[in-house]
Amino acid sequence: MTSLHDLSADQLTALLAEQQAKYAELGAAGLKLDLTRGKPSPEQLDLSNDLLTIDVQATSADGVDVRNYGGLQGNPALRAMFAELLNVPADSIIAGGNASLTMMHDTVVQALLYGVPGGEGPWKDQQVKFIAPVPGYDRHFTICAKLGIEMIPVELGEHGPDLDEVARLLADPAVKGMWAVPMYANPNGVVYDEATTRALLELPAAAPDFRIWWDNAYALHHLTDDEPRPIDVVSLAAEVGNPDRVLAFASTSKVTFAGAGVGFLATSKANLGAYLDGLGAATIGPDKVNQQRHVQFFGDAEGVRALMRRQRDLLAPKFAVVLDALVSRLGDYGFARWTQPAGGYFVSLDVLDGTATRVVELAKQAGIALTPAGASHPLGHDPHDRTIRIAPSFPPLGDLQTAMDGLATCALLAAAEKLADQQA
Ligand code: PLP
């Protein structure tokens, strides 16, 4: 097969007609498929069904009545377990409610309202900008957009964000925050390497209170036998002399139940103190019953790792279906690129520049729901209109296969339409 860009006018016309015919068949099939959000499938959730029936002990190992108020920092046994798994110091981590996203949102709100340790007062009284590696997680961008924080996109390379650009931006005292998904990034699966991580923690910043929201949502979500340990960012930040720079988050949302797990925050003593001070005004304590339930269900850190291997056994075949479809349907045409993540929940597909919106629209009309084009960029603006996030976890394998074949048809059709237009 010839690369799309090298096709003659006649070949392009033929390809266009072929894909139009395929697309008409797709439309006639009356599909109703969804590749939008990275939700665990029912089979994945079933792996943790014992949580629903476990005989939860009323008293945790440290002698606390988990049914009562109190214990703002969360269950000590669960904190110790996740300190080991996330590779952070045991005294740096707290366990909260069911969503780490809430903790991220609340830490940004607290920074705006109260400021952060070592800062110069509430951020709401200052100009505040966040560095937003792209492609990135749309809900991070929504937090900033909702709170009126300007975002500056920075290209996410193979080992992390473009450091020259980050260094340049940090010379601006208004740059006070940065988003990071350091392992198996949403959506392109990038893993920040040690050198990039160290640089991010030690680069000089004009804002003395610059913070990184280090969202390690997929730290345990390996898709292969290789299970790299997360970098201990809390200790590394201290070692390079910026102990308060990093706020690290994780959760069991994609370990046990996405709607009923436990969120974690690991950070310096000063940051934890400030966070708990604010949190203490909002709650008398987290859901310790659910935390205790998780402690009993997991047993220990190895129990979590074993569960994640079972998750991997369900997820890896789905990623294989996605990648097979992309290779077999788009591989030879040379206009599309995609990621082959070693973990996480997503594959990122770059279609022909200027066609992502059209691809998503074509897919929608054929009954295949995709994340909106542009969602992986601040304010939904992908300047190249080319990145589409594929979330393979939820649909059954057969549906996924059909959806991926349909998506490939839409990508080819949109590309052929565009090139035919240009030739006309
Ligand atoms: N962070 C990232 C990068 C995610 O992709 C997601 C969910 O898709 C979350 C956070 C949500 O985490 P939680 O369920 O703990 O709020």
Side-chain angles (χ1 to χ4, degrees):
M1 227 178 283
T2 321
S3 153
L4 201 65
H5 292 281
D6 299 330
L7 294 182
S8 67
D10 285 351
Q11 286 171 319
L12 193 58
T13 307
L15 178 72
L16 188 56
E18 181 187 294
Q19 297 308 314
Q20 279 166 338
K22 266 186 182 292
Y23 185 68
E25 274 171 35
L26 199 63
L31 301 176
K32 201 170 178 301
L33 301 171
D34 193 338
L35 292 181
T36 52
R37 297 234 71 95
K39 289 201 296 193
S41 65
E43 297 72 31
Q44 287 180 266
L45 298 171
D46 284 347
L47 296 176
S48 301
N49 272 352
D50 284 355
L51 278 173
L52 298 173
T53 53
I54 219 163
D55 194 5
V56 188
Q57 292 159 13
T59 307
S60 53
D62 54 320
V64 166
D65 187 333
V66 299
R67 301 165 305 175
N68 218 328
Y69 277 141
L72 204 54
Q73 305 195 4
N75 184 305
L78 193 63
R79 287 163 53 209
M81 207 183 290
F82 276 80
E84 178 184 338
L85 289 161
L86 299 168
N87 194 20
V88 293
D91 60 354
S92 75
I93 190 166
I94 58 169
N98 75 313
S100 61
L101 194 65
T102 305
M103 293 170 132
M104 293 177 230
H105 173 268
D106 288 355
T107 42
V108 177
V109 169
Q110 285 190 3
L112 287 168
L113 291 180
Y114 318 131
V116 299
E120 290 152 349
W123 288 9
K124 69 177 169 50
D125 302 331
Q126 306 167 49
Q127 204 193 357
V128 178
K129 301 179 192 170
F130 269 45
I131 296 172
V134 290
Y137 177 39
D138 55 346
R139 291 185 190 271
H140 288 162
F141 304 154
T142 301
I143 290 176
C144 280
K146 271 250 178 229
L147 296 171
I149 296 172
E150 183 184 333
M151 288 166 275
I152 310 170
V154 168
E155 232 22 73
L156 188 54
E158 219 179 307
H159 305 293
D162 177 342
L163 285 176
D164 292 340
E165 187 58 8
V166 171
R168 194 184 67 76
L169 291 169
L170 286 180
D172 175 357
V175 172
K176 287 185 173 289
M178 174 173 176
W179 293 108
V181 184
M183 277 187 80
Y184 312 130
N186 175 351
N188 63 1
V190 161
V191 179
Y192 289 27
D193 66 9
E194 180 116 24
T196 306
T197 302
R198 178 178 281 273
L200 290 172
L201 296 172
E202 72 183 351
L203 277 172
D209 49 358
F210 171 67
R211 293 286 187 278
I212 304 174
W213 272 258
W214 190 261
D215 178 2
N216 225 341
Y218 300 107
L220 311 174
H221 303 58
H222 317 291
L223 283 168
T224 74
D225 294 340
D226 188 20
E227 299 176 355
R229 198 144 193 243
I231 297 169
D232 177 1
V233 277
V234 175
S235 299
L236 192 55
E239 188 187 310
V240 301
N242 289 316
D244 300 329
R245 182 171 286 195
V246 72
L247 300 151
F249 302 87
S251 77
T252 69
S253 289
K254 281 152 187 161
V255 177
T256 56
F257 294 154
V262 181
F264 299 93
L265 164 61
T267 186
S268 68
K269 221 180 226 61
N271 285 341
L272 264 192
Y275 174 68
L276 291 169
D277 187 46
L279 186 68
T283 180
I284 309 173
D287 180 349
K288 295 186 300 301
V289 174
N290 193 35
Q291 295 184 353
Q292 175 62 24
R293 188 184 287 131
H294 275 77
V295 170
Q296 290 175 226
F297 175 63
F298 291 138
D300 55 20
E302 198 44 42
V304 179
R305 293 189 192 101
L307 175 59
M308 292 315 291
R309 287 178 198 124
R310 297 182 71 195
Q311 297 278 8
R312 180 188 64 198
D313 292 344
L314 292 172
L315 277 173
K318 296 194 172 180
F319 279 78
V321 161
V322 169
L323 295 172
D324 283 354
L326 293 171
V327 170
S328 68
R329 292 289 317 280
L330 303 181
D332 289 334
Y333 289 108
F335 72 93
R337 283 180 311 156
W338 52 87
T339 54
Q340 295 193 45
Y345 256 61
F346 304 99
V347 171
S348 183
L349 168 66
D350 281 357
V351 293
L352 188 70
D353 277 23
T355 67
T357 305
R358 173 76 177 142
V359 173
V360 172
E361 183 54 33
L362 282 168
K364 185 176 166 197
Q365 283 170 16
I368 303 168
L370 296 170
T371 311
S376 56
H377 286 67
L379 309 180
H381 179 62
D382 171 1
H384 303 288
D385 189 24
R386 69 177 169 214
T387 300
I388 294 175
R389 187 182 80 165
I390 301 169
S393 57
F394 192 78
L397 272 175
D399 284 2
L400 183 62
Q401 204 132 27
T402 310
M404 283 308 302
D405 194 52
L407 168 57
T409 299
C410 297
L412 259 175
L413 177 55
E417 282 174 351
K418 178 149 196 227
L419 293 178
D421 261 6
Q422 284 171 354
Q423 283 191 1

